[in-house]
Amino acid sequence: MVEGDCQIQMGRFISFLQELSCFVTRCYEVVMNVVHQLAVLYINNKVAPKIIETTGVHFQTMYEHLGELLTVLLTLDEIIDNHITLKDHWTMYKRLLKSVHHNPSKFGIQEEKLKPFEKFLLKLEGQLLDGMIFQACIEQQFDSLNGGVSVSKNSTFAEEFAHSIRSIFANVEARLGEPSEIDQRDKYVGICGLFVLHFQIFRTIDKKFYKSLLDICKKVPAITLTANIIWFPDNFLIQKIPAAAKLLDRKSLQAIKIHRDTFLQQKAQSLTKDVQSYYVFVSSWMMKMESILSKEQRMDKFAEDLTSRCNVFIQAIEHMFYRRSMVVADSVSHITQHLQHQALNSISVAKKRVISDKKYSEQRLDVLSALVLAENTLNGPSTKQRRLIVSLALSVGTQLKTFKDEELFPLQVVLKKLDLISELRERVQAQCDCCFLYWHRAVFPIYLDDVYENAVDAARLHYMFSALRDCVPAMMHSRHLESYEILLDCYDKEIMEILNEHLLDKLCKEIEKDLRLSVHTHLKLDDRNPFKVGMKDLALFFSLNPIRFFNRFIDIRAYVTHYLDKTFYNLTTVALHDWATYSEMRNLATQRYGLVMTEAHLPSQTLEQGLDVLEIMRNIHIFVSRYLYNLNNQIFIERTSNNKHLNTINIRHIANSIRTHGTGIMNTTVNFTYQFLKKKFYIFSQFMYDEHIKSRLIKDIRFFREIKDQNDHKYPFERAEKFNRGIRKLGITPEGQSYLDQFRQLISQIGNAMGYVRMIRSGGLHCSSNAIRFVPDLEDIINFEELVKEEGLAEETIKAARHLDSVLSDHTRNSAEGTEYFKMLVDVFAPEFRRPKNIHLRNFYIIVPPLTLNFVEHSISCKEKLNKKNKIGAAFTDDGFAMGVAYILKLLDQYREFDSLHWFQSVREKYLKEIRAVAKQQNVQSTCQDEKLLQTMNLTQKRLDVYLQEFELLYFSLSSARIFFRADKTAAEENQEKKEKEEETKTSNGDLSDSTVSADRVVK
């Protein structure tokens, strides 16, 4: 609780305490008035004339009701005494009031209003919170000081009072603790209150009766007054009448406490047995009631069978009465009439007896009047007031032996039955009210655990929630919060959290586990033999009707179904290859538990799925280093593998993957690629900025400029070889790679990334064209929305048609053009590459010749390994390098600079020259017949052919790659073209507006 909340709550509660104070004061006045009235009725003839003759008249009903009123006061005392929170908050509130007293203006309170309020609080505390409500009532001054009614000295009244208490006690004692007990415990509390009041007024103790009251504690050691308030009669009697307690020996008082402990132990031990016997008793009673009422009603039984196993007997009984309330109401009216008829017969016999006696006396007239009153009152509805009048009238009417002994007892039994049957509904409601559960909410999780373990008794849940709902009416009277709804919300939330934790979530997990183990039985995960591990039939939970609680229905079937649907859907999206397993689990859930599952409608993966686009996207840095790109076939091949096969990825795989995840993944993939390229270009820039590299490149550029006229504008092959050797001198990695090898790998990875982007675009087009293939004519697609509107169909159909139109237009557009991802990736990096601050990158074109030389050597080495037994490092394609070089040259706008080197012509000339030289030598040596020399020359020629072929392949790959990046135009030309296009668009728009104006004129 937040600091200050308790004071605010106490402030709201003051008005309720004021109302309670008024109620208590009124109770005091009523007790005083009743005692005075009874004292005046029972008075000695010597003192004053009697109002009526009261000899033999015992108004037992009055004393019973007085006892009920004292019970109320006693209960209030016990509630406040047990409410520690209330006392703590009251103390805090008083402290707050003291601080307000020191500075009233700060709190916006007038000082003159504060003192009366403090006095009022002191009055409330003294009257209510000090545990003196009952004590103050019995300690009132019952004797009138101004010579009015004398109570304490009235011996006749004292005797009558004691006689009535003993009579009530005699009726109660016989049935206390017996199976036939009804409301005797409540009456016993009233008797104790009356006994203490009698002692307080008359100061006399009937030691024998006092001992009899205490002896009851052996039968009933404690009584529940309300909710969680337990009352111990022995403590009450000893505390309120200490004088009487002194008359008893200590042993007998100690014996009561010992007996209480043994009683509790016995009850704890016999709890299971008692519950079983109650269960049998209630079930048999319900069956009997059901059969009797069904015969009377003569109509079909209700579908719901309340005789299912149920430990919450109270709610079962209440439900039984509620279900049969129409029949019960009908029967009650007949039973009431029958009992009234019996009572009227008895009274009429007595009345005749009084009339037949001709002797006149006032007492006889009183008796006759009382009998007539009783008779007239019984002729009507059996209301509470009428029954009370009958009871009081008969208290007067039974004197003078108007009734024989054998007549009086049956009459009393009939009237008692009439009381019971008239209040049947109220009594059932009161006895079946389970609002005490609010104070014992700790039982609920234990109960749910038990229900879960014994699934057979699942039907009991309805009764439990019905019992929990009984707490709501009492909570609606709460006054300490801004609104009682806050308390209800907290209660609702708490109950639902317990239900979820102890039943629903456990049930969901258990069902999911069962389905998984059933589907994976071939794995033999654990022992599922029901004879060894037991078996729970959880399907019983799903046959339950929805449980009502507050403003919701708790549908266990729907909750578990939703959980399984959600779990299966989420897990299928994570691992699409498991779609078949989850489909099987769905079917099994329907067969075994009757759950109606929702189909996921996720696209299932094909056998040709290959590596997933999502996986590649997340690990693109690993992908570009482990896979090699083939430009012509648009295929990626795994570099090395621990298996006997290599994985490949082609357009069909990508298209399938896009179909699975949707076309939205394409843009995300390109975005990931952009992030990856950004990191790689940073390393690229660092390498180009390195002093060793930069100085060599500048030197090579200067050298080429100097000798290009002499060398027919061709970059010398020897210079590239020299650069390669020079780089190796700078250092080699443990794997034997030079810095140039690593730089080549970097460019290959950049090229692989671009190849992947190209494949994504192609895959997207492939996927779209597959999706659109069922549309007959892409040029003329019908507008479904217009057709549906013409037919005047429903709004939902129009929405569906509109959605279909948008899907078709999307697919048509995607299959026709696709997105120019290459252009985007050039446009995003090119401005940065061409900035003056990155001038060191302008040397890149001169490093391409040594790079190509390095690449060709590496490529030949990889291809040669294909024929060897140990194929580590073997490869037959790596077009990522060509893509990378073409991309970077485009970013730097250096196609013309590179072309000015005429590098591939220089390479071709060099190798052709060497090949011719070798051929010439072969012709000369063929005459010498030197076989070894001929073999060497053949090998040399073969090697030169291989090198020339590799360079030719690289040249073709590079030329192809350049086409993707529009190698035919420089950056300046592209910009010029862009401007021209924009101007054309503006002009066409202007022409269109002019034509529109002229057309308007024509129309006019």
Side-chain angles (χ1 to χ4, degrees):
M1 192 180 280
V2 182
E3 194 178 350
D5 268 11
C6 48
Q7 288 92 332
I8 293 166
Q9 289 180 6
M10 198 69 229
R12 293 193 191 109
F13 202 62
I14 294 290
S15 63
F16 173 74
L17 289 176
Q18 185 183 11
E19 288 169 25
L20 184 63
S21 169
C22 295
F23 170 74
V24 167
T25 308
R26 174 70 182 149
C27 289
Y28 291 173
E29 289 170 3
V30 169
V31 170
M32 178 71 81
N33 187 279
V34 168
V35 169
H36 280 179
Q37 283 194 46
L38 289 169
V40 171
L41 276 175
Y42 295 95
I43 196 165
N44 278 329
N45 290 329
K46 297 170 187 175
V47 179
K50 286 185 178 184
I51 297 167
I52 60 166
E53 183 57 51
T54 53
T55 310
V57 176
H58 307 295
F59 292 109
Q60 195 171 311
T61 311
M62 278 302 297
Y63 292 98
E64 283 176 3
H65 283 78
L66 184 60
E68 282 175 25
L69 185 58
L70 292 174
T71 304
V72 170
L73 299 178
L74 197 146
T75 305
L76 286 172
D77 264 340
E78 291 295 323
I79 290 170
I80 291 165
D81 190 47
N82 282 283
H83 209 318
I84 298 159
T85 313
L86 178 67
K87 291 177 181 176
D88 291 345
H89 287 193
W90 179 262
T91 311
M92 288 177 177
Y93 190 72
K94 285 200 295 182
R95 279 189 207 141
L96 174 72
L97 216 62
K98 280 180 184 174
S99 58
V100 172
H101 199 75
H102 292 308
N103 193 358
S105 57
K106 186 182 174 183
F107 295 92
I109 295 169
Q110 295 173 10
E111 199 169 350
E112 59 270 16
K113 285 185 178 178
L114 205 58
K115 281 189 178 177
F117 185 62
E118 282 180 333
K119 281 182 183 174
F120 170 65
L121 289 183
L122 280 170
K123 180 199 163 197
L124 284 182
E125 188 174 11
Q127 187 185 15
L128 305 175
L129 303 177
D130 289 343
M132 297 296 284
I133 298 172
F134 177 79
Q135 196 64 30
C137 178
I138 61 173
E139 285 179 354
Q140 290 181 95
Q141 184 63 44
F142 289 102
D143 289 329
S144 300
L145 299 172
N146 53 2
V149 182
S150 173
V151 178
S152 58
K153 302 281 173 62
N154 189 339
S155 58
T156 310
F157 176 45
E159 281 172 24
E160 176 57 28
F161 201 144
H163 175 269
S164 293
I165 297 173
R166 280 195 292 272
S167 299
I168 299 166
F169 180 68
N171 292 337
V172 168
E173 186 188 20
R175 296 177 75 175
L176 256 179
E178 297 299 318
S180 58
E181 181 188 332
I182 302 171
D183 56 353
Q184 276 74 16
R185 283 173 200 240
D186 298 334
K187 285 187 176 176
Y188 173 65
V189 179
I191 291 164
C192 291
L194 287 169
F195 184 73
V196 173
L197 176 65
H198 181 272
F199 169 74
Q200 198 67 37
I201 296 171
F202 303 110
R203 291 289 164 183
T204 56
I205 299 168
D206 183 343
K207 189 181 173 184
K208 189 180 176 185
F209 183 63
Y210 180 70
K211 200 166 182 307
S212 302
L213 280 177
L214 282 174
D215 285 343
I216 291 292
C217 298
K218 291 174 183 176
K219 271 191 193 178
V220 185
I223 293 169
T224 305
L225 295 175
T226 179
N228 62 333
I229 306 300
I230 307 291
W231 181 72
F232 300 106
D234 53 325
N235 290 352
F236 173 77
L237 291 168
I238 291 163
Q239 186 188 341
K240 298 295 177 187
I241 315 176
K246 286 174 188 174
L247 299 173
L248 295 172
D249 55 337
R250 280 189 181 178
K251 276 186 182 179
S252 56
L253 294 174
Q254 196 68 33
I256 293 168
K257 288 178 182 176
I258 294 164
H259 193 272
R260 187 187 302 158
D261 296 338
T262 53
F263 177 84
L264 278 173
Q265 286 170 2
Q266 283 172 359
K267 280 289 176 191
Q269 286 169 0
S270 65
L271 181 65
T272 316
K273 195 178 174 185
D274 289 348
V275 168
Q276 283 173 349
S277 64
Y278 288 146
Y279 167 68
V280 171
F281 178 74
V282 172
S283 296
S284 62
W285 174 83
M286 284 172 73
M287 292 296 284
K288 197 174 176 184
M289 182 92 166
E290 187 80 42
S291 68
I292 292 166
L293 294 177
S294 296
K295 280 176 194 171
E296 282 187 16
Q297 196 180 8
R298 295 189 180 279
M299 63 182 281
D300 296 335
K301 281 191 179 185
F302 287 104
E304 187 186 17
D305 184 14
L306 285 176
T307 56
S308 57
R309 285 183 63 80
C310 167
N311 277 349
V312 191
F313 305 128
I314 295 171
Q315 286 300 315
I317 293 165
E318 189 178 17
H319 277 245
M320 168 64 78
F321 274 107
Y322 178 75
R323 278 176 52 236
R324 298 296 190 183
S325 54
M326 296 302 288
V327 187
V328 169
D330 193 28
S331 304
V332 163
S333 65
H334 291 309
I335 295 165
T336 307
Q337 282 179 8
H338 178 65
L339 291 170
Q340 284 174 332
H341 173 69
Q342 284 182 320
L344 284 167
N345 278 348
S346 296
I347 292 168
S348 66
V349 169
K351 195 171 77 169
K352 282 175 187 173
R353 198 172 285 136
V354 174
I355 293 167
S356 63
D357 194 343
K358 302 296 180 188
K359 289 177 186 175
Y360 173 80
S361 68
E362 280 191 14
Q363 191 176 2
R364 195 172 293 282
L365 189 64
D366 286 345
V367 170
L368 189 60
S369 302
L371 291 173
V372 170
L373 177 63
E375 203 170 36
N376 291 342
T377 311
L378 277 169
N379 277 316
S382 179
T383 61
K384 198 168 187 178
Q385 288 83 354
R386 280 173 179 266
R387 292 197 311 275
L388 183 63
I389 290 164
V390 169
S391 179
L392 291 169
L394 289 178
S395 297
V396 176
T398 52
Q399 58 183 322
L400 293 176
K401 293 189 177 178
T402 49
F403 289 90
K404 292 178 182 175
D405 289 344
E406 62 270 18
E407 291 172 354
L408 188 59
F409 181 70
L411 179 62
Q412 287 172 342
V413 170
V414 164
L415 290 175
K416 183 68 180 170
K417 282 181 180 176
L418 189 63
D419 274 349
L420 284 173
I421 202 71
S422 302
E423 293 175 0
L424 181 67
R425 186 164 166 272
E426 290 80 1
R427 281 177 183 270
V428 168
Q429 275 183 343
Q431 294 302 324
C432 298
D433 185 11
C434 294
C435 65
F436 60 84
L437 272 177
Y438 179 80
W439 307 99
H440 303 289
R441 295 195 297 282
V443 173
F444 188 49
I446 301 162
Y447 169 81
L448 288 177
D449 290 340
D450 178 57
V451 169
Y452 176 71
E453 289 304 318
N454 306 307
V456 184
D457 300 326
R460 292 185 293 168
L461 277 169
H462 278 283
Y463 297 127
M464 190 60 180
F465 274 92
S466 178
L468 288 168
R469 280 202 301 275
D470 286 348
C471 306
V472 174
M475 290 161 76
M476 288 170 77
H477 293 292
S478 64
R479 300 276 285 273
H480 63 292
L481 294 168
E482 202 171 345
S483 165
Y484 67 81
E485 285 178 4
I486 299 167
L487 188 63
L488 292 181
D489 287 344
C490 291
Y491 178 65
D492 181 21
K493 192 178 173 187
E494 184 186 343
I495 296 299
M496 288 311 296
E497 279 175 2
I498 293 170
L499 178 69
N500 289 342
E501 184 186 343
H502 290 268
L503 182 67
L504 297 182
D505 291 348
K506 280 162 79 172
L507 193 61
C508 290
K509 296 277 190 314
E510 186 64 34
I511 297 288
E512 187 189 355
K513 182 186 168 187
D514 180 52
L515 293 174
R516 279 188 191 286
L517 292 176
S518 300
V519 168
H520 295 100
T521 42
H522 58 283
L523 299 176
K524 294 181 181 174
L525 295 169
D526 60 17
D527 190 2
R528 302 191 71 228
N529 185 339
F531 294 106
K532 291 181 182 176
V533 294
M535 186 181 172
K536 271 189 284 191
D537 186 8
L538 298 174
L540 289 163
F541 285 106
F542 307 125
S543 60
L544 283 182
N545 288 333
I547 301 162
R548 183 167 163 255
F549 188 60
F550 278 92
N551 55 351
R552 68 158 71 82
F553 279 95
I554 303 159
D555 191 343
I556 297 175
R557 173 196 284 268
Y559 186 92
V560 175
T561 306
H562 174 68
Y563 169 83
L564 292 175
D565 276 337
K566 183 181 164 191
T567 307
F568 293 169
Y569 183 89
N570 290 343
L571 292 173
T572 308
T573 54
V574 171
L576 280 159
H577 53 271
D578 282 341
W579 67 272
T581 307
Y582 290 114
S583 293
E584 201 177 330
M585 284 165 75
R586 269 192 206 93
N587 293 334
L588 192 62
T590 307
Q591 288 169 17
R592 190 171 288 179
Y593 299 110
L595 302 177
V596 181
M597 306 289 287
T598 309
E599 196 55 50
H601 296 296
L602 283 168
S604 51
Q605 288 187 314
T606 66
L607 292 170
E608 288 193 315
Q609 190 70 35
L611 202 59
D612 194 51
V613 172
L614 268 176
E615 285 298 312
I616 299 171
M617 183 179 77
R618 288 175 184 146
N619 306 299
I620 194 161
H621 57 292
I622 299 167
F623 173 75
V624 294
S625 61
R626 286 193 185 167
Y627 279 77
L628 302 166
Y629 182 54
N630 186 287
L631 191 70
N632 299 326
N633 294 319
Q634 276 212 68
I635 186 170
F636 275 98
I637 300 143
E638 199 173 9
R639 192 186 291 274
T640 56
S641 172
N642 295 327
N643 305 323
K644 289 185 178 180
H645 63 271
L646 296 173
N647 290 325
T648 61
I649 295 163
N650 58 31
I651 293 171
R652 203 161 56 251
H653 293 152
I654 297 293
N656 287 333
S657 208
I658 289 169
R659 188 170 72 86
T660 301
H661 297 292
T663 50
I665 201 151
M666 293 165 67
N667 292 333
T668 315
T669 306
V670 175
N671 190 27
F672 266 78
T673 310
Y674 160 72
Q675 303 290 343
F676 166 75
L677 288 173
K678 211 161 66 168
K679 292 174 187 171
K680 290 295 173 187
F681 281 138
Y682 177 68
I683 301 164
F684 172 82
S685 177
Q686 281 184 317
F687 179 83
M688 294 298 290
Y689 198 73
D690 185 83
E691 281 302 323
H692 295 289
I693 306 297
K694 192 162 70 172
S695 60
R696 284 166 190 271
L697 293 178
I698 292 166
K699 203 185 291 180
D700 282 357
I701 291 168
R702 198 182 299 123
F703 168 77
F704 177 65
R705 281 175 186 162
E706 286 170 3
I707 62 109
K708 67 179 178 180
D709 293 330
Q710 306 158 21
N711 208 29
D712 196 19
H713 291 269
K714 290 172 189 160
Y715 188 77
F717 186 88
E718 294 74 20
R719 191 75 186 177
E721 272 189 321
K722 185 184 174 187
F723 185 93
N724 236 335
R725 287 195 299 274
I727 293 289
R728 286 193 82 81
K729 287 175 187 174
L730 291 175
I732 290 173
T733 64
E735 290 84 26
Q737 292 185 329
S738 67
Y739 289 119
L740 200 64
D741 288 327
Q742 289 174 305
F743 190 55
R744 170 183 50 74
Q745 284 174 356
L746 175 73
I747 289 168
S748 292
Q749 287 177 12
I750 290 168
N752 283 346
M754 295 306 291
Y756 179 56
V757 169
R758 180 190 172 206
M759 193 179 270
I760 284 286
R761 183 174 179 274
S762 304
L765 290 170
H766 192 79
C767 180
S768 294
S769 61
N770 272 345
I772 205 82
R773 66 185 167 178
F774 298 107
V775 177
D777 186 2
L778 294 180
E779 300 300 321
D780 180 27
I781 296 177
I782 300 160
N783 189 309
F784 285 96
E785 189 181 355
E786 288 177 7
L787 289 173
V788 168
K789 280 181 178 174
E790 282 173 21
E791 291 296 324
L793 297 175
E795 185 61 35
E796 287 82 2
T797 317
I798 295 169
K799 276 184 187 175
R802 193 181 301 133
H803 185 64
L804 176 60
D805 287 339
S806 70
V807 168
L808 286 172
S809 64
D810 282 352
H811 276 308
T812 311
R813 191 172 60 252
N814 289 342
S815 63
E817 53 193 59
T819 313
E820 292 290 346
Y821 292 125
F822 275 10
K823 190 173 183 302
M824 285 164 56
L825 289 170
V826 168
D827 291 346
V828 78
F829 286 113
E832 189 65 33
F833 268 64
R834 296 167 191 173
R835 277 191 185 179
K837 71 169 187 177
N838 288 326
I839 198 152
H840 61 281
L841 301 179
R842 306 290 300 167
N843 305 327
F844 175 72
Y845 75 96
I846 206 75
I847 203 176
V848 175
L851 268 175
T852 54
L853 200 59
N854 182 290
F855 172 76
V856 166
E857 285 175 0
H858 167 72
S859 183
I860 290 167
S861 159
C862 290
K863 285 177 181 176
E864 283 173 353
K865 286 176 184 173
L866 284 170
N867 299 319
K868 292 180 181 176
K869 194 174 181 182
N870 184 6
K871 289 184 171 56
I872 294 169
F876 64 88
T877 182
D878 190 4
D879 292 336
F881 175 74
M883 285 286 280
V885 170
Y887 179 45
I888 293 165
L889 285 172
K890 179 66 180 177
L891 291 178
L892 293 163
D893 193 23
Q894 286 191 332
Y895 280 144
R896 294 218 170 157
E897 283 87 341
F898 176 66
D899 289 344
S900 69
L901 298 177
H902 299 97
W903 165 243
F904 286 103
Q905 289 176 15
S906 176
V907 170
R908 195 178 294 111
E909 282 178 11
K910 188 258 180 194
Y911 279 114
L912 287 172
K913 189 180 174 185
E914 284 191 9
I915 288 165
R916 279 195 292 270
V918 170
K920 197 176 179 183
Q921 267 188 316
Q922 276 179 325
N923 291 336
V924 172
Q925 291 299 331
S926 61
T927 53
C928 300
Q929 299 293 321
D930 190 345
E931 285 185 17
K932 281 188 179 178
L933 195 60
L934 279 169
Q935 279 177 356
T936 307
M937 284 180 179
N938 285 337
L939 286 169
T940 306
Q941 191 173 12
K942 202 180 277 183
R943 183 178 59 80
L944 290 171
D945 285 341
V946 168
Y947 268 88
L948 182 59
Q949 190 183 355
E950 278 301 320
F951 267 108
E952 290 290 323
L953 282 170
L954 177 60
Y955 171 64
F956 298 142
S957 297
L958 190 57
S959 301
S960 303
R962 283 172 64 168
I963 292 166
F964 301 136
F965 302 104
R966 297 200 58 191
D968 56 323
K969 286 188 169 59
T970 61
E973 287 170 347
E974 279 184 359
N975 288 337
Q976 184 62 35
E977 189 184 315
K978 199 174 179 183
K979 282 177 185 173
E980 284 172 6
K981 272 188 181 176
E982 283 175 2
E983 283 172 11
E984 274 177 31
T985 311
K986 282 179 185 174
T987 313
S988 65
N989 287 343
D991 293 344
L992 189 67
S993 62
D994 290 344
S995 67
T996 309
V997 169
S998 61
D1000 287 347
R1001 283 173 188 160
V1002 170
V1003 170
K1004 284 172 185 175

